[in-house]
Amino acid sequence: MTNRPVILFAAKPQRWGQYEAPLRAALADAGLGDATLVTEAAPETVDYIVYAPNSDVQDFTPYTRLKAVLNLWAGVEDVVHNTTLRVPLARMVDDGLTEGMVEWVTGHVLRHHLGMDAHIHGQDGVWRAGIVPPLARDRRVGVLGLGALGAACAKALHGLNFDVTGWSRSPKSIDGITTTHGEDGLADTLARSEILVLLLPDTPGTQNILNARTLALMPKRAMIVNPGRGPLIDDNALLAALDSGQIGHATLDVFRTEPLPPEHPFWAHPNVTVTPHIASETRPGSASRVIVENIRRGEAGLPFLHLVDRDLGY
Ligand SMILES: NC(=O)c1ccc[n+]([C@@H]2O[C@H](COP(=O)([O-])OP(=O)(O)OC[C@H]3O[C@@H](n4cnc5c(N)ncnc54)[C@H](OP(=O)(O)O)[C@@H]3O)[C@@H](O)[C@H]2O)c1
């Protein structure tokens, strides 16, 4: 086992300021304090790349001794199809990221469940009493995607007493949650979801999963909350469903083009809430420990954690 792996941090410069100290601390804690952690290195000397897909490194060919690429993001759609990458790719699974997503999702689900807007926007002297929302136990919420984030959100919503159904590619069993998979499972989940949370990755199998046909399967005036990825939704089909009243509201954090262009109709639509891809962020302290654990494993000859399946795309 070598104690001196060379680790290249390849991300936007401001990230280095956030990550350098926690990464060095995590390396020291893992007994890897002798590792070389740099933002520039001769490619043929690099063992690991701590990687943001929007960094300058797009061609991995010169990194001839690379052992793994450790993504700083949970989403890998911008790197997974890079044909120059021939070593294991790990995605980010970070407790801090998960906690943040649970908070954002439960907050936005509760907003729609409780009908908070009627009072937040209704400060006009009209006493709107008597509109009582159902209890959470009588509100049916669907979660598409039961991975690190979707499963945590489904459990938290169940903890608040919501009637939760979750959908994934492979069968799953989660206490208190009705789980489905496959095409029939999707139809069943959509048909019962008064509020639908999208936490799927962006892959060829998930793009446009909400389209004119599938939106029509949902209960009238259903609410959509999308912190997953923009391409999961056919924008024009969603706008048509909002205009017809089939969908009551869409809270969207992610878009096909980011930043969302000022002229995009989502901005002006009265039943759309746009948030600027802030649902959850990787937290440098906890994320650094995840990355270093994978470096420790690589150096010890152990299997890496959180590996991406390049064929499935996530
Ligand atoms: N807005 C933000 O701030 C933000 C922050 C972080 C992440 N995200 C997004 O959240 C996504 C999910 O993250 P994660 O860490 O939870 O991912 P993950 O652990 O890889 O989970 C993905 C889930 O989606 C399911 N899935 C994938 N393809 C499917 C298909 N074709 N049909 C049905 N289910 C499918 C998987 O099913 P199996 O369980 O059967 O594999 C799994 O349950 C990321 O990919 C990213 O796009 C957004």
Side-chain angles (χ1 to χ4, degrees):
M1 167 168 164
T2 170
N3 278 330
R4 294 191 57 81
V6 175
I7 306 161
L8 176 68
F9 184 86
K12 294 286 183 203
Q14 69 269 26
R15 294 285 175 215
W16 180 237
Q18 298 167 335
Y19 274 92
E20 182 184 2
L23 276 173
R24 290 198 192 285
L27 285 165
D29 288 349
L32 289 165
D34 287 348
T36 303
L37 175 65
V38 287
T39 55
E40 282 181 25
E44 66 279 8
T45 66
V46 172
D47 296 288
Y48 300 94
I49 302 182
V50 178
Y51 189 66
N54 64 355
S55 82
D56 291 340
V57 176
Q58 297 298 326
D59 180 4
F60 293 96
T61 316
Y63 294 88
T64 47
R65 62 181 270 172
L66 197 59
K67 297 172 185 163
V69 170
L70 308 170
N71 213 43
L72 283 166
W73 304 353
V76 293
E77 67 275 11
D78 292 337
V79 56
V80 72
H81 303 299
N82 187 324
T83 53
T84 68
L85 177 58
R86 298 198 181 89
V87 298
L89 169 67
R91 68 201 176 81
M92 178 52 64
V93 176
D94 162 35
D95 287 348
L97 177 76
T98 304
E99 277 178 49
M101 185 60 81
V102 165
E103 292 174 17
W104 189 91
V105 165
T106 51
H108 284 278
V109 168
L110 282 169
R111 169 194 173 193
H112 294 310
H113 166 63
L114 294 172
M116 288 180 175
D117 288 17
H119 305 296
I120 291 171
H121 299 302
Q123 302 290 304
D124 52 6
V126 178
W127 188 259
R128 294 183 179 82
I131 306 167
V132 182
L135 290 174
R137 70 178 68 252
D138 297 319
R139 179 77 76 186
R140 294 182 301 176
V141 179
V143 181
L144 301 191
L146 291 174
L149 301 178
C153 290
K155 286 179 203 164
L157 291 166
H158 167 65
L160 289 171
N161 256 355
F162 284 105
D163 178 356
V164 182
T165 297
W167 181 73
S168 52
R169 190 181 50 78
S170 53
K172 291 257 175 312
S173 172
I174 303 176
D175 274 355
I177 316 286
T178 304
T179 53
T180 68
H181 65 281
E183 272 299 308
D184 291 350
L186 177 62
D188 291 347
T189 303
L190 293 177
R192 70 185 307 288
S193 297
E194 297 167 88
I195 303 174
L196 183 73
V197 179
L198 302 185
L199 274 166
L200 292 163
D202 174 4
T203 73
T206 63
Q207 284 163 11
N208 291 322
I209 201 143
L210 286 194
N211 53 45
R213 182 184 64 79
T214 53
L215 287 165
L217 299 174
M218 298 186 69
K220 190 93 178 150
R221 302 208 63 74
M223 312 280 186
I224 289 164
V225 177
N226 183 18
R229 281 291 183 264
L232 300 176
I233 300 181
D234 175 335
D235 289 2
N236 290 330
L238 176 59
L239 285 163
L242 286 160
D243 289 341
S244 73
Q246 167 60 16
I247 298 300
H249 194 101
T251 296
L252 308 174
D253 185 56
V254 284
F255 305 91
R256 284 166 188 273
T257 304
E258 295 182 6
L260 185 66
E263 64 281 6
H264 196 288
F266 284 156
W267 282 114
H269 201 289
N271 294 333
V272 175
T273 301
V274 170
T275 63
H277 202 143
I278 44 79
S280 192
E281 268 282 345
T282 305
R283 310 288 158 149
S286 43
S288 294
R289 289 191 289 277
V290 173
I291 285 165
V292 168
E293 171 59 10
N294 256 342
I295 295 172
R296 186 193 73 76
R297 286 172 156 265
E299 293 305 287
L302 296 169
F304 292 110
L305 301 174
H306 316 309
L307 286 183
V308 171
D309 182 321
R310 305 287 296 276
D311 294 327
L312 291 173
Y314 72 98

